[in-house]
């Protein structure tokens, strides 16, 4: 038979002497052997308790209704978000030419004769001008044929034709560069309106000088398409007002005065060069150089101790 282990003196009495409170404290502090085994058998381990506590904390922090569902952009799964692909688009040739021309006109030096077309009429005055021009839109083909047929019928019957019927075409905006030039040379035009974006610019580049010579007030406005809309065309290079109804004379006088001060008598505006604007990268380099030079100047000017 195996021998029992020797028991030291007082070893059996020591647990008896320990108080109930001390035993309870020791039991709580001492690690329990086989705790993991007990958890495997059906008890609750410390790891599981801590995970439950974390889960409860998360549930209290986040609403369980809104569960995070991360998307996957692999093949056959979620569609990728839409991106701005403007820089990767192969634009049509005419769009590229338009944009290149705008950049070129900013970079190169533009002489005053061409730069005057960048100095357009201010918005409030332009709004008043186009309101007046809309009242003098030329009649379309249907209206013109109806008016002429009435005049022909009246003449066939031997009746007198009313002046209003004859003068319907008289109160209309005149358009066409040759027609406008003839009216300016004859000093019949009361006000000339020129588009700023005519291409080629040589079509109208001489017209401001002619208006100044004949002392006819002129304005340069934005948009040949806006002028074309008034006369029923896609675009128009220049318009001219010749005959005005008595009720609109005061309005025309105000516009003519504004045109004379802003364009005809503005000698300084005709001397200004345009262009010579650097791109963002070149401008950044120039600014950097200026900062370095300013710093060096400050160092040289600093008094020596």
């Amino acid at each position: 038979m195996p021998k029992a282990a020797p028991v030291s003196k007082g070893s059996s009495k020591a647990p008896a002497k320990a108080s109930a409170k001390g035993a309870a404290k020791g039991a709580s502090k001492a690690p329990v052997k086989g705790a993991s085994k007990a958890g495997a058998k059906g008890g609750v381990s410390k790891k599981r308790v801590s995970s439950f506590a974390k889960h409860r904390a998360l549930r209290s922090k986040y609403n369980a209704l809104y569960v995070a569902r991360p998307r996957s952009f692999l093949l056959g799964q979620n569609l990728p978000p839409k991106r701005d692909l403007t820089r990767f688009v192969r634009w049509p040739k005419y769009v590229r030419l338009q944009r290149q021309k705008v950049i070129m006109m900013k970079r190169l030096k533009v002489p005053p004769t061409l730069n005057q077309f960048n100095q357009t009429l201010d918005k409030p005055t332009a709004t008043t001008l186009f309101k007046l021009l809309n009242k003098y839109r030329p009649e379309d083909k249907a209206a013109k044929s109806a008016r002429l047929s009435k005049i022909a019928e009246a003449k066939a019957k031997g009746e007198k034709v009313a002046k209003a019927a004859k003068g319907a075409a008289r109160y209309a905006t005149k358009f066409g560069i040759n027609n406008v030039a003839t009216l300016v040379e004859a000093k019949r035009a009361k006000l000339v309106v020129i588009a700023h974006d005519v291409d080629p610019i040589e079509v109208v580049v001489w017209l401001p000088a002619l208006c100044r010579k004949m002392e006819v007030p002129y304005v340069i406005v934005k948009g040949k398409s806006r002028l074309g809309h008034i006369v029923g065309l896609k675009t128009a290079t220049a318009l001219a007002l010749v005959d005005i109804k008595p009720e609109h004379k005061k309005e025309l006088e105000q516009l003519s005065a504004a045109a004379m001060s802003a364009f005809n008598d503005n000698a300084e505006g005709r001397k200004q060069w345009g262009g010579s604007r650097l791109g963002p990268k070149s401008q950044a380099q120039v600014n950097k150089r200026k900062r370095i030079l300013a710093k060096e100047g400050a160092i040289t000017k600093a008094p020596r101790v």
Side-chain angles (χ1 to χ4, degrees):
M1 289 182 67
K3 292 181 181 181
V7 180
S8 61
K9 291 180 181 181
S11 61
S12 60
K13 294 178 182 179
K17 286 180 183 178
S19 63
K21 289 180 182 178
K25 285 178 183 177
S28 62
K29 288 177 183 178
V32 180
K33 288 183 179 180
S36 59
K37 291 179 184 177
K41 288 178 182 178
V44 181
S45 66
K46 279 188 177 180
K47 286 181 181 178
R48 292 189 70 184
V49 169
S50 64
S51 67
F52 288 150
K54 283 179 183 175
H55 184 62
R56 278 200 200 107
L58 284 169
R59 283 189 67 183
S60 64
K61 191 174 181 182
Y62 301 105
N63 194 342
L65 290 171
Y66 304 103
V67 182
R69 296 184 181 88
R71 291 185 292 175
S72 174
F73 302 117
L74 298 174
L75 287 172
Q77 297 190 31
N78 298 96
L79 291 170
K82 288 185 178 180
R83 297 175 184 174
D84 186 10
L85 302 174
T86 310
R87 290 186 64 84
F88 306 100
V89 174
R90 185 177 175 82
W91 294 100
K93 191 174 180 181
Y94 78 96
V95 174
R96 293 201 301 272
L97 287 171
Q98 283 174 355
R99 292 176 179 177
Q100 287 165 3
K101 185 185 175 185
V102 168
I103 292 168
M104 189 178 68
M105 294 296 284
K106 286 178 182 177
R107 301 287 179 270
L108 299 176
K109 282 184 77 175
V110 181
T113 312
L114 298 180
N115 189 50
Q116 66 178 333
F117 289 93
N118 295 326
Q119 301 165 6
T120 54
L121 193 65
D122 60 284
K123 193 174 180 181
T125 316
T127 307
T128 310
L129 172 65
F130 278 98
K131 280 181 181 177
L132 180 64
L133 289 173
N134 276 318
K135 294 171 186 174
Y136 290 89
R137 298 182 75 167
E139 56 188 356
D140 55 358
K141 286 183 180 180
K144 185 178 180 181
S145 63
R147 179 175 61 83
L148 292 176
S149 61
K150 281 182 182 178
I151 291 169
E153 286 173 8
K155 282 182 178 178
K157 290 177 183 177
E159 298 174 359
K160 287 185 178 181
V161 180
K163 286 184 179 180
K166 281 185 176 179
R170 182 180 153 201
Y171 296 112
T173 307
K174 308 300 179 184
F175 59 97
I177 192 67
N178 291 333
N179 192 13
V180 170
T182 306
L183 293 169
V184 171
E185 286 170 351
K187 293 189 178 182
R188 286 183 56 204
K190 302 287 191 301
L191 179 66
V192 176
V193 186
I194 308 167
H196 88 297
D197 55 347
V198 178
D199 190 28
I201 196 68
E202 289 82 6
V203 174
V204 291
V205 76
W206 47 269
L207 190 54
L210 180 66
C211 291
R212 285 195 299 272
K213 186 180 178 181
M214 295 297 172
E215 297 180 354
V216 175
Y218 74 94
V219 291
I220 297 169
V221 295
K222 283 188 176 179
K224 58 185 177 183
S225 57
R226 291 171 78 191
L227 298 186
H229 177 70
I230 289 165
V231 295
L233 299 172
K234 282 186 179 179
T235 57
T237 54
L239 306 180
L241 283 170
V242 179
D243 293 310
I244 294 290
K245 294 175 183 176
E247 58 266 26
H248 299 139
K249 275 189 177 180
K250 190 177 180 182
E251 197 173 349
L252 179 66
E253 284 172 5
Q254 291 174 352
L255 287 169
S256 299
M260 290 294 283
S261 62
F263 292 94
N264 289 62
D265 301 333
N266 187 10
E268 289 298 321
R270 295 195 298 274
K271 294 177 184 177
Q272 291 178 1
W273 284 71
S276 299
R277 280 186 279 173
L278 297 175
K281 290 181 181 177
S282 303
Q283 191 63 51
Q285 283 183 347
V286 170
N287 293 340
K288 187 178 179 181
R289 237 176 262 139
K290 283 180 181 177
R291 285 196 298 271
I292 292 166
L293 290 170
K295 197 174 181 182
E296 288 175 356
I299 291 165
T300 54
K301 287 178 184 178
R304 292 182 181 179
V305 180

